[in-house]
Amino acid sequence: MIVLENVTKSYNGKVVLKDFSYTFEKGKIYFVKGPSGIGKTTLLRIASGLEKPDAGRVHFRETPEFCMMFQEDRLLENYSAARNLEIVMPGIDPAVIRKNLEKLIPAEETDKPVSELSGGTKRRVAAMRALLFPGNILFMDEPFAGLDEENRHNVQRVIEELRGQRVCVIASHLIPEGTEAEIIELNGGVE
Amino acid sequence: MKRKLVIVIGWILVWEILSLCISNPVLMAGPYETLKTLCAMACTAEYWLSAAGTLARAVCGILAGFICAAVLGWISYRSRIFREITEPLFSVIKSVPVVSFIVLILLWTGGKTLSFYISWIVVLPLFYFSFLEGFASADEKYLEMAKMYRMSRANEFRYIRYPALYAPLCASVKSAVGLGFKSAAAAEVIGQVKNTVGNGIYLSKVYLSATELFAWTITVAVMAYGAEKIILFLLSKAGGKQV
Protein backbone atom coordinates (compact mmCIF):
# COMPACT_ATOMS: atom_id res chain seq x y z
CA MET A 1 0.00 0.00 0.00
CA ILE A 2 2.71 2.50 1.02
CA VAL A 3 6.22 1.85 -0.19
CA LEU A 4 9.15 3.88 1.10
CA GLU A 5 12.37 3.31 -0.81
CA ASN A 6 15.72 4.49 0.50
CA VAL A 7 14.22 7.55 2.11
CA THR A 8 16.74 9.98 3.56
CA LYS A 9 15.95 13.17 5.42
CA SER A 10 18.09 15.55 7.40
CA TYR A 11 17.52 18.86 9.18
CA ASN A 12 20.33 21.38 9.52
CA GLY A 13 22.91 18.74 8.68
CA LYS A 14 21.53 16.19 11.19
CA VAL A 15 20.43 12.99 9.49
CA VAL A 16 17.05 11.88 10.84
CA LEU A 17 16.26 9.11 8.38
CA LYS A 18 18.90 7.38 6.30
CA ASP A 19 18.13 4.98 3.47
CA PHE A 20 14.90 3.99 5.16
CA SER A 21 12.91 1.40 3.21
CA TYR A 22 9.67 -0.20 4.27
CA THR A 23 6.39 -1.46 2.83
CA PHE A 24 3.22 -0.86 4.78
CA GLU A 25 0.49 -3.34 3.88
CA LYS A 26 -3.24 -2.73 3.70
CA GLY A 27 -5.28 -3.69 6.78
CA LYS A 28 -2.31 -3.87 9.14
CA ILE A 29 -1.28 -1.76 12.12
CA TYR A 30 2.30 -0.58 12.50
CA PHE A 31 3.84 1.02 15.54
CA VAL A 32 6.84 3.23 14.91
CA LYS A 33 8.76 3.47 18.16
CA GLY A 34 11.87 5.20 19.34
CA PRO A 35 12.91 8.02 21.69
CA SER A 36 11.91 11.66 21.08
CA GLY A 37 13.61 13.32 18.12
CA ILE A 38 14.50 10.04 16.45
CA GLY A 39 12.39 10.75 13.34
CA LYS A 40 9.00 9.16 14.02
CA THR A 41 7.05 12.30 13.09
CA THR A 42 9.33 12.91 10.10
CA LEU A 43 8.57 9.42 8.82
CA LEU A 44 4.82 10.05 9.07
CA ARG A 45 5.13 13.46 7.42
CA ILE A 46 7.14 12.07 4.52
CA ALA A 47 4.81 9.11 4.05
CA SER A 48 1.79 11.44 4.03
CA GLY A 49 3.37 13.84 1.54
CA LEU A 50 3.55 16.76 3.99
CA GLU A 51 7.32 16.78 3.56
CA LYS A 52 9.57 15.73 0.74
CA PRO A 53 12.51 13.40 1.39
CA ASP A 54 16.02 14.60 0.51
CA ALA A 55 16.54 11.32 -1.32
CA GLY A 56 14.54 8.20 -2.03
CA ARG A 57 10.88 7.98 -2.89
CA VAL A 58 7.44 7.19 -1.57
CA HIS A 59 4.83 5.49 -3.75
CA PHE A 60 1.42 3.97 -3.31
CA ARG A 61 -0.23 0.90 -4.77
CA GLU A 62 -3.63 2.61 -4.80
CA THR A 63 -4.74 6.25 -4.71
CA PRO A 64 -3.91 7.43 -1.19
CA GLU A 65 -6.55 9.16 0.94
CA PHE A 66 -4.93 10.16 4.18
CA CYS A 67 -6.34 10.69 7.64
CA MET A 68 -3.87 12.16 10.11
CA MET A 69 -3.76 12.69 13.81
CA PHE A 70 -1.03 15.24 14.34
CA GLN A 71 1.42 15.41 17.20
CA GLU A 72 -0.42 18.57 18.33
CA ASP A 73 -4.21 18.40 18.58
CA ARG A 74 -4.82 21.11 15.94
CA LEU A 75 -8.45 21.46 17.00
CA LEU A 76 -10.42 24.68 16.49
CA GLU A 77 -10.39 25.95 20.06
CA ASN A 78 -13.54 28.11 19.86
CA TYR A 79 -15.72 25.29 18.60
CA SER A 80 -17.08 22.27 20.41
CA ALA A 81 -15.59 18.80 20.08
CA ALA A 82 -18.57 17.65 18.01
CA ARG A 83 -18.46 20.74 15.77
CA ASN A 84 -14.72 20.18 15.16
CA LEU A 85 -15.52 16.80 13.67
CA GLU A 86 -18.59 18.02 11.76
CA ILE A 87 -16.55 20.78 10.10
CA VAL A 88 -14.09 18.36 8.53
CA MET A 89 -16.70 15.66 7.84
CA PRO A 90 -19.73 17.48 6.44
CA GLY A 91 -20.87 14.29 4.70
CA ILE A 92 -21.21 12.28 7.92
CA ASP A 93 -24.40 12.36 9.98
CA PRO A 94 -23.80 14.49 13.13
CA ALA A 95 -25.56 11.82 15.21
CA VAL A 96 -23.01 9.23 14.06
CA ILE A 97 -20.18 11.63 14.91
CA ARG A 98 -21.60 12.20 18.40
CA LYS A 99 -22.17 8.50 19.02
CA ASN A 100 -18.55 7.71 18.12
CA LEU A 101 -17.18 10.67 20.03
CA GLU A 102 -18.91 9.42 23.15
CA LYS A 103 -16.85 6.24 22.93
CA LEU A 104 -13.82 8.33 23.90
CA ILE A 105 -15.11 11.35 25.83
CA PRO A 106 -18.05 11.85 28.23
CA ALA A 107 -21.30 12.91 26.49
CA GLU A 108 -21.47 16.20 28.44
CA GLU A 109 -18.08 17.25 27.02
CA THR A 110 -19.03 16.92 23.34
CA ASP A 111 -20.68 20.35 23.23
CA LYS A 112 -18.13 22.25 25.29
CA PRO A 113 -15.69 24.52 23.45
CA VAL A 114 -12.40 22.69 22.94
CA SER A 115 -10.60 25.48 24.83
CA GLU A 116 -12.42 24.32 27.99
CA LEU A 117 -11.40 20.67 27.64
CA SER A 118 -8.44 19.05 29.38
CA GLY A 119 -5.32 18.11 27.41
CA GLY A 120 -6.18 14.41 27.52
CA THR A 121 -9.76 15.01 26.30
CA LYS A 122 -8.47 17.13 23.41
CA ARG A 123 -6.13 14.31 22.49
CA ARG A 124 -9.03 11.86 22.33
CA VAL A 125 -11.12 14.27 20.22
CA ALA A 126 -8.21 14.61 17.79
CA ALA A 127 -7.90 10.81 17.69
CA MET A 128 -11.59 10.37 16.90
CA ARG A 129 -11.40 13.01 14.17
CA ALA A 130 -8.67 11.00 12.42
CA LEU A 131 -10.40 7.67 13.01
CA LEU A 132 -13.76 8.77 11.60
CA PHE A 133 -12.36 10.66 8.63
CA PRO A 134 -12.81 8.63 5.44
CA GLY A 135 -9.59 7.47 3.86
CA ASN A 136 -7.46 4.40 3.24
CA ILE A 137 -4.31 5.42 5.13
CA LEU A 138 -4.40 6.40 8.79
CA PHE A 139 -1.44 8.08 10.46
CA MET A 140 -1.48 8.77 14.18
CA ASP A 141 1.29 10.69 15.86
CA GLU A 142 1.55 10.00 19.61
CA PRO A 143 -2.16 9.20 20.13
CA PHE A 144 -1.56 8.04 23.71
CA ALA A 145 0.42 11.08 24.86
CA GLY A 146 -1.00 12.62 28.02
CA LEU A 147 -3.52 9.81 28.56
CA ASP A 148 -3.88 7.68 31.70
CA GLU A 149 -3.79 3.90 31.41
CA GLU A 150 -7.57 3.47 31.20
CA ASN A 151 -7.89 6.02 28.40
CA ARG A 152 -4.89 4.55 26.58
CA HIS A 153 -6.63 1.17 26.53
CA ASN A 154 -9.85 2.82 25.44
CA VAL A 155 -8.17 4.64 22.54
CA GLN A 156 -6.36 1.44 21.55
CA ARG A 157 -9.68 -0.47 21.54
CA VAL A 158 -11.39 2.22 19.41
CA ILE A 159 -8.47 2.25 16.95
CA GLU A 160 -8.90 -1.51 16.52
CA GLU A 161 -12.65 -1.07 16.11
CA LEU A 162 -12.65 1.79 13.61
CA ARG A 163 -9.54 1.31 11.51
CA GLY A 164 -11.28 -1.10 9.12
CA GLN A 165 -9.12 -2.14 6.18
CA ARG A 166 -6.93 0.94 6.38
CA VAL A 167 -3.17 0.92 6.71
CA CYS A 168 -2.61 2.30 10.19
CA VAL A 169 0.78 3.74 11.08
CA ILE A 170 1.12 4.93 14.67
CA ALA A 171 4.17 6.81 15.92
CA SER A 172 4.41 6.34 19.65
CA HIS A 173 6.99 5.90 22.35
CA LEU A 174 4.34 3.93 24.29
CA ILE A 175 3.48 0.56 22.82
CA PRO A 176 0.31 -1.01 24.28
CA GLU A 177 0.89 -4.36 25.95
CA GLY A 178 -0.13 -7.45 24.01
CA THR A 179 -0.46 -5.66 20.69
CA GLU A 180 -0.23 -7.81 17.60
CA ALA A 181 0.84 -4.85 15.50
CA GLU A 182 4.13 -4.82 13.65
CA ILE A 183 6.71 -2.73 15.48
CA ILE A 184 9.28 -0.65 13.64
CA GLU A 185 12.05 0.63 15.82
CA LEU A 186 13.91 3.71 14.67
CA ASN A 187 17.42 3.96 15.96
CA GLY A 188 18.83 7.28 14.89
CA GLY A 189 19.42 7.66 11.23
CA VAL A 190 19.85 4.07 10.22
CA GLU A 191 17.04 1.55 9.94
CA MET B 1 -22.11 52.56 30.15
CA LYS B 2 -22.98 54.89 33.05
CA ARG B 3 -19.33 55.87 33.40
CA LYS B 4 -19.08 56.62 29.67
CA LEU B 5 -22.13 58.89 29.88
CA VAL B 6 -20.60 60.78 32.82
CA ILE B 7 -17.36 61.23 30.84
CA VAL B 8 -19.26 62.57 27.80
CA ILE B 9 -21.24 64.98 29.98
CA GLY B 10 -17.97 66.07 31.60
CA TRP B 11 -16.44 66.92 28.22
CA ILE B 12 -19.59 68.84 27.15
CA LEU B 13 -19.23 70.87 30.35
CA VAL B 14 -15.57 71.62 29.50
CA TRP B 15 -16.73 72.73 26.03
CA GLU B 16 -19.39 75.02 27.59
CA ILE B 17 -16.87 76.53 30.01
CA LEU B 18 -14.43 77.12 27.14
CA SER B 19 -17.05 78.86 25.01
CA LEU B 20 -18.07 81.01 28.00
CA CYS B 21 -14.43 81.96 28.59
CA ILE B 22 -13.84 82.89 24.93
CA SER B 23 -17.27 84.53 24.79
CA ASN B 24 -17.15 85.11 21.04
CA PRO B 25 -19.74 83.11 19.01
CA VAL B 26 -17.78 83.68 15.78
CA LEU B 27 -14.72 81.90 17.18
CA MET B 28 -16.28 79.37 19.52
CA ALA B 29 -19.84 78.10 19.63
CA GLY B 30 -21.13 76.52 22.82
CA PRO B 31 -22.88 73.14 22.98
CA TYR B 32 -26.34 74.67 23.41
CA GLU B 33 -26.05 76.97 20.36
CA THR B 34 -24.56 74.14 18.33
CA LEU B 35 -27.42 71.80 19.24
CA LYS B 36 -29.96 74.52 18.43
CA THR B 37 -28.36 75.11 15.01
CA LEU B 38 -28.12 71.37 14.36
CA CYS B 39 -31.84 70.94 15.13
CA ALA B 40 -32.70 73.84 12.84
CA MET B 41 -30.53 72.39 10.06
CA ALA B 42 -32.05 68.94 10.56
CA CYS B 43 -35.46 70.43 9.71
CA THR B 44 -34.28 71.23 6.18
CA ALA B 45 -34.15 68.81 3.25
CA GLU B 46 -30.80 70.31 2.21
CA TYR B 47 -29.15 69.07 5.42
CA TRP B 48 -30.24 65.49 4.87
CA LEU B 49 -29.34 65.62 1.19
CA SER B 50 -25.85 66.85 2.07
CA ALA B 51 -25.37 64.32 4.85
CA ALA B 52 -26.62 61.49 2.63
CA GLY B 53 -24.34 62.58 -0.24
CA THR B 54 -21.24 62.59 1.94
CA LEU B 55 -22.23 59.38 3.72
CA ALA B 56 -22.83 57.49 0.45
CA ARG B 57 -19.55 58.62 -1.15
CA ALA B 58 -17.44 58.03 1.94
CA VAL B 59 -18.95 54.60 2.71
CA CYS B 60 -18.65 53.50 -0.94
CA GLY B 61 -15.02 54.69 -0.98
CA ILE B 62 -14.24 52.86 2.26
CA LEU B 63 -15.89 49.65 1.05
CA ALA B 64 -14.13 49.87 -2.33
CA GLY B 65 -10.82 50.37 -0.46
CA PHE B 66 -11.60 47.37 1.74
CA ILE B 67 -12.36 45.10 -1.23
CA CYS B 68 -9.32 46.26 -3.26
CA ALA B 69 -7.09 45.81 -0.19
CA ALA B 70 -8.43 42.27 0.32
CA VAL B 71 -7.67 41.30 -3.29
CA LEU B 72 -4.26 43.00 -3.41
CA GLY B 73 -3.40 41.72 0.07
CA TRP B 74 -4.17 38.15 -0.99
CA ILE B 75 -2.11 38.46 -4.20
CA SER B 76 0.76 39.99 -2.20
CA TYR B 77 0.54 37.18 0.34
CA ARG B 78 0.72 34.57 -2.41
CA SER B 79 3.33 36.30 -4.58
CA ARG B 80 6.51 37.65 -3.06
CA ILE B 81 7.39 39.54 -6.26
CA PHE B 82 4.01 41.26 -6.32
CA ARG B 83 4.44 42.18 -2.65
CA GLU B 84 7.90 43.63 -3.23
CA ILE B 85 6.55 45.69 -6.13
CA THR B 86 3.42 47.00 -4.39
CA GLU B 87 4.62 47.60 -0.82
CA PRO B 88 6.65 50.74 -1.62
CA LEU B 89 3.64 52.15 -3.48
CA PHE B 90 1.37 51.69 -0.46
CA SER B 91 4.01 53.11 1.86
CA VAL B 92 4.21 56.20 -0.39
CA ILE B 93 0.40 56.54 -0.49
CA LYS B 94 0.37 56.42 3.32
CA SER B 95 2.84 59.28 3.63
CA VAL B 96 1.68 61.58 0.78
CA PRO B 97 -0.42 64.50 2.13
CA VAL B 98 -4.13 63.89 1.50
CA VAL B 99 -4.45 67.39 0.07
CA SER B 100 -2.10 66.46 -2.79
CA PHE B 101 -4.44 63.64 -3.76
CA ILE B 102 -7.43 65.93 -3.40
CA VAL B 103 -6.04 68.46 -5.86
CA LEU B 104 -4.87 65.77 -8.26
CA ILE B 105 -8.17 63.89 -8.30
CA LEU B 106 -10.07 67.17 -8.55
CA LEU B 107 -8.10 67.90 -11.73
CA TRP B 108 -8.70 64.41 -13.10
CA THR B 109 -12.31 63.67 -12.23
CA GLY B 110 -13.97 66.89 -11.05
CA GLY B 111 -15.86 67.35 -7.81
CA LYS B 112 -18.76 64.92 -7.90
CA THR B 113 -16.85 61.72 -7.18
CA LEU B 114 -13.93 63.40 -5.41
CA SER B 115 -14.79 62.30 -1.86
CA PHE B 116 -15.35 58.73 -3.04
CA TYR B 117 -11.84 58.52 -4.54
CA ILE B 118 -10.24 60.27 -1.57
CA SER B 119 -11.76 58.01 1.07
CA TRP B 120 -10.85 55.03 -1.14
CA ILE B 121 -7.19 56.00 -1.48
CA VAL B 122 -6.82 56.99 2.17
CA VAL B 123 -8.13 53.68 3.55
CA LEU B 124 -6.56 51.42 0.91
CA PRO B 125 -3.02 51.17 2.40
CA LEU B 126 -4.34 50.79 5.95
CA PHE B 127 -6.57 47.87 4.97
CA TYR B 128 -3.91 46.44 2.64
CA PHE B 129 -1.31 46.11 5.40
CA SER B 130 -3.93 44.63 7.75
CA PHE B 131 -4.96 42.01 5.22
CA LEU B 132 -1.34 41.17 4.56
CA GLU B 133 -0.64 40.82 8.28
CA GLY B 134 -3.80 38.74 8.77
CA PHE B 135 -3.11 36.38 5.88
CA ALA B 136 0.49 35.91 7.02
CA SER B 137 -0.52 35.22 10.62
CA ALA B 138 -2.80 32.26 9.83
CA ASP B 139 -1.34 29.29 11.68
CA GLU B 140 0.58 27.06 9.26
CA LYS B 141 -0.17 24.00 11.37
CA TYR B 142 -3.89 24.58 11.05
CA LEU B 143 -3.56 25.21 7.30
CA GLU B 144 -1.79 21.86 7.10
CA MET B 145 -4.65 20.28 9.06
CA ALA B 146 -7.14 21.85 6.61
CA LYS B 147 -5.20 20.39 3.69
CA MET B 148 -4.99 16.94 5.28
CA TYR B 149 -8.71 16.90 6.09
CA ARG B 150 -9.53 18.20 2.60
CA MET B 151 -11.44 21.20 3.93
CA SER B 152 -13.12 23.34 1.27
CA ARG B 153 -11.59 26.75 0.51
CA ALA B 154 -14.64 28.39 2.06
CA ASN B 155 -14.29 26.44 5.31
CA GLU B 156 -10.53 27.00 5.39
CA PHE B 157 -11.19 30.74 5.12
CA ARG B 158 -13.99 30.74 7.66
CA TYR B 159 -12.38 28.61 10.35
CA ILE B 160 -8.66 29.30 9.95
CA ARG B 161 -7.91 32.40 7.91
CA TYR B 162 -10.73 34.65 9.10
CA PRO B 163 -9.94 34.33 12.84
CA ALA B 164 -6.36 35.39 11.99
CA LEU B 165 -7.62 38.32 9.93
CA TYR B 166 -10.16 39.51 12.47
CA ALA B 167 -7.90 41.34 14.98
CA PRO B 168 -5.78 43.32 12.43
CA LEU B 169 -8.93 44.15 10.44
CA CYS B 170 -10.76 45.48 13.49
CA ALA B 171 -7.74 47.60 14.41
CA SER B 172 -7.57 49.08 10.92
CA VAL B 173 -11.33 49.71 10.73
CA LYS B 174 -11.08 51.75 13.93
CA SER B 175 -8.55 54.11 12.35
CA ALA B 176 -9.48 53.89 8.66
CA VAL B 177 -13.20 54.67 8.86
CA GLY B 178 -12.72 57.92 10.78
CA LEU B 179 -9.85 58.87 8.50
CA GLY B 180 -11.94 58.09 5.42
CA PHE B 181 -14.76 60.37 6.56
CA LYS B 182 -12.41 63.18 7.62
CA SER B 183 -10.61 63.05 4.28
CA ALA B 184 -13.87 62.89 2.32
CA ALA B 185 -15.14 66.01 4.13
CA ALA B 186 -11.82 67.80 3.54
CA ALA B 187 -11.99 66.94 -0.15
CA GLU B 188 -15.52 68.33 -0.36
CA VAL B 189 -14.40 71.56 1.33
CA ILE B 190 -11.54 72.04 -1.14
CA GLY B 191 -13.58 70.90 -4.15
CA GLN B 192 -16.65 72.88 -3.01
CA VAL B 193 -18.85 70.01 -4.01
CA LYS B 194 -22.55 70.99 -3.93
CA ASN B 195 -24.95 69.16 -1.56
CA THR B 196 -22.26 67.74 0.69
CA VAL B 197 -21.22 68.19 4.31
CA GLY B 198 -17.92 69.62 3.05
CA ASN B 199 -19.77 72.36 1.20
CA GLY B 200 -21.70 73.13 4.39
CA ILE B 201 -18.38 73.48 6.25
CA TYR B 202 -17.04 75.71 3.47
CA LEU B 203 -20.12 77.98 3.63
CA SER B 204 -19.83 78.21 7.43
CA LYS B 205 -16.32 79.58 6.88
CA VAL B 206 -17.58 82.08 4.28
CA TYR B 207 -20.38 83.28 6.63
CA LEU B 208 -18.16 83.07 9.75
CA SER B 209 -20.66 80.81 11.47
CA ALA B 210 -18.96 78.72 14.12
CA THR B 211 -22.27 77.16 15.19
CA GLU B 212 -22.86 75.77 11.67
CA LEU B 213 -19.23 74.63 11.47
CA PHE B 214 -19.65 72.74 14.75
CA ALA B 215 -23.01 71.31 13.66
CA TRP B 216 -21.54 69.98 10.39
CA THR B 217 -18.53 68.64 12.27
CA ILE B 218 -20.78 66.75 14.67
CA THR B 219 -22.66 65.37 11.65
CA VAL B 220 -19.43 63.95 10.15
CA ALA B 221 -18.31 62.57 13.52
CA VAL B 222 -21.66 60.83 14.11
CA MET B 223 -21.66 59.36 10.60
CA ALA B 224 -18.09 58.09 10.99
CA TYR B 225 -18.84 56.64 14.44
CA GLY B 226 -21.99 54.91 13.17
CA ALA B 227 -20.24 53.51 10.07
CA GLU B 228 -17.35 52.23 12.21
CA LYS B 229 -19.69 50.47 14.64
CA ILE B 230 -21.72 48.91 11.80
CA ILE B 231 -18.60 47.65 10.00
CA LEU B 232 -17.18 46.23 13.27
CA PHE B 233 -20.52 44.54 13.95
CA LEU B 234 -20.56 43.01 10.45
CA LEU B 235 -16.97 41.81 10.88
CA SER B 236 -17.86 40.15 14.20
CA LYS B 237 -20.85 38.44 12.57
CA ALA B 238 -18.91 37.37 9.46
CA GLY B 239 -17.04 34.67 11.41
CA GLY B 240 -20.33 32.89 12.01
CA LYS B 241 -21.67 31.30 15.17
CA GLN B 242 -19.05 29.65 17.31
CA VAL B 243 -19.26 26.59 19.59
Side-chain angles (χ1 to χ4, degrees):
Chain A
M1 181 70 208
I2 316 170
V3 182
L4 282 87
E5 284 177 3
N6 303 317
V7 168
T8 297
K9 182 76 182 177
S10 54
Y11 295 103
N12 303 321
K14 191 197 169 199
V15 178
V16 180
L17 290 173
K18 192 179 173 192
D19 283 333
F20 182 88
S21 298
Y22 210 89
T23 302
F24 296 95
E25 300 291 347
K26 195 173 178 177
K28 290 179 81 173
I29 299 186
Y30 298 85
F31 273 98
V32 182
K33 70 176 270 196
S36 297
I38 205 77
K40 301 188 294 289
T41 300
T42 304
L43 176 64
L44 262 55
R45 291 179 65 81
I46 289 173
S48 62
L50 289 173
E51 279 186 45
K52 285 194 164 55
D54 299 335
R57 68 182 197 122
V58 180
H59 60 99
F60 305 92
R61 292 193 188 130
E62 58 184 82
T63 312
E65 285 179 326
F66 304 111
C67 336
M68 171 78 117
M69 179 190 183
F70 296 92
Q71 197 171 32
E72 317 82 12
D73 305 316
R74 303 194 194 184
L75 296 167
L76 303 165
E77 294 276 321
N78 294 332
Y79 294 88
S80 70
R83 188 81 189 107
N84 261 275
L85 272 63
E86 288 164 21
I87 287 167
V88 296
M89 290 172 265
I92 296 181
D93 183 357
V96 173
I97 288 177
R98 247 162 230 280
K99 200 177 142 200
N100 280 289
L101 202 48
E102 285 169 19
K103 289 175 183 171
L104 289 182
I105 67 169
E108 64 272 18
E109 305 237 337
T110 56
D111 290 317
K112 274 188 192 170
V114 165
S115 55
E116 291 176 19
L117 301 178
S118 69
T121 309
K122 287 181 190 178
R123 206 74 202 119
R124 283 173 276 154
V125 174
M128 186 50 80
R129 182 176 62 180
L131 284 164
L132 279 186
F133 193 75
N136 52 10
I137 300 172
L138 173 64
F139 294 114
M140 301 184 93
D141 198 350
E142 298 291 356
F144 310 115
L147 302 184
D148 57 29
E149 203 177 333
E150 189 192 336
N151 278 312
R152 266 204 311 271
H153 284 304
N154 208 12
V155 170
Q156 171 68 10
R157 183 181 53 78
V158 174
I159 291 172
E160 294 279 0
E161 183 191 326
L162 295 178
R163 73 187 171 89
Q165 277 307 299
R166 288 183 279 193
V167 184
C168 185
V169 186
I170 302 170
S172 176
H173 61 274
L174 290 165
I175 307 295
E177 279 175 32
T179 180
E180 289 174 8
E182 219 164 286
I183 295 168
I184 303 159
E185 188 154 3
L186 295 185
N187 51 11
V190 183
E191 176 62 23
Chain B
M1 192 67 194
K2 204 174 170 186
R3 186 189 287 186
K4 269 189 177 176
L5 193 72
V6 171
I7 292 168
V8 171
I9 292 169
W11 279 110
I12 291 172
L13 275 174
V14 171
W15 178 12
E16 177 65 31
I17 292 164
L18 210 65
S19 72
L20 286 173
C21 291
I22 293 169
S23 190
N24 184 343
V26 176
L27 297 178
M28 184 77 184
Y32 176 68
E33 292 83 17
T34 303
L35 186 67
K36 214 164 80 175
T37 307
L38 189 59
C39 289
M41 281 161 60
C43 293
T44 64
E46 200 190 340
Y47 170 82
W48 291 106
L49 200 67
S50 302
T54 298
L55 180 70
R57 291 183 188 100
V59 167
C60 287
I62 290 164
L63 290 180
F66 187 88
I67 293 164
C68 287
V71 174
L72 295 171
W74 177 252
I75 299 170
S76 293
Y77 167 70
R78 303 293 294 183
S79 160
R80 194 176 159 183
I81 294 171
F82 186 82
R83 183 167 70 243
E84 282 172 0
I85 293 168
T86 50
E87 265 191 11
L89 176 73
F90 287 114
S91 299
V92 168
I93 293 174
K94 256 184 17 173
S95 51
V96 166
V98 180
V99 72
S100 303
F101 285 121
I102 294 173
V103 174
L104 194 65
I105 293 168
L106 193 57
L107 291 173
W108 286 352
T109 68
K112 270 196 169 176
T113 50
L114 178 65
S115 48
F116 164 80
Y117 286 117
I118 289 303
S119 52
W120 174 74
I121 207 153
V122 162
V123 301
L124 182 63
L126 294 174
F127 285 139
Y128 169 81
F129 286 112
S130 299
F131 271 108
L132 201 54
E133 186 192 334
F135 286 133
S137 63
D139 194 327
E140 285 297 329
K141 286 183 175 173
Y142 278 82
L143 291 173
E144 204 175 70
M145 181 275 286
K147 185 182 161 195
M148 195 47 85
Y149 284 96
R150 303 187 275 284
M151 276 170 86
S152 64
R153 287 269 178 206
N155 274 353
E156 181 192 297
F157 180 80
R158 182 177 167 192
Y159 296 109
I160 298 165
R161 292 201 181 275
Y162 189 74
L165 274 172
Y166 184 69
L169 275 188
C170 284
S172 64
V173 163
K174 282 175 189 167
S175 53
V177 174
L179 195 64
F181 269 90
K182 274 195 283 193
S183 308
E188 288 166 354
V189 172
I190 293 170
Q192 294 173 38
V193 189
K194 292 269 182 288
N195 294 325
T196 61
V197 171
N199 194 51
I201 293 172
Y202 175 76
L203 292 176
S204 67
K205 186 204 88 173
V206 172
Y207 299 119
L208 298 175
S209 171
T211 51
E212 275 193 26
L213 173 66
F214 278 48
W216 283 118
T217 305
I218 287 171
T219 305
V220 176
V222 168
M223 288 193 300
Y225 181 80
E228 181 193 309
K229 292 293 167 201
I230 290 169
I231 294 171
L232 287 175
F233 173 76
L234 293 175
L235 284 178
S236 74
K237 290 286 159 197
K241 194 175 163 237
Q242 297 191 336
V243 179

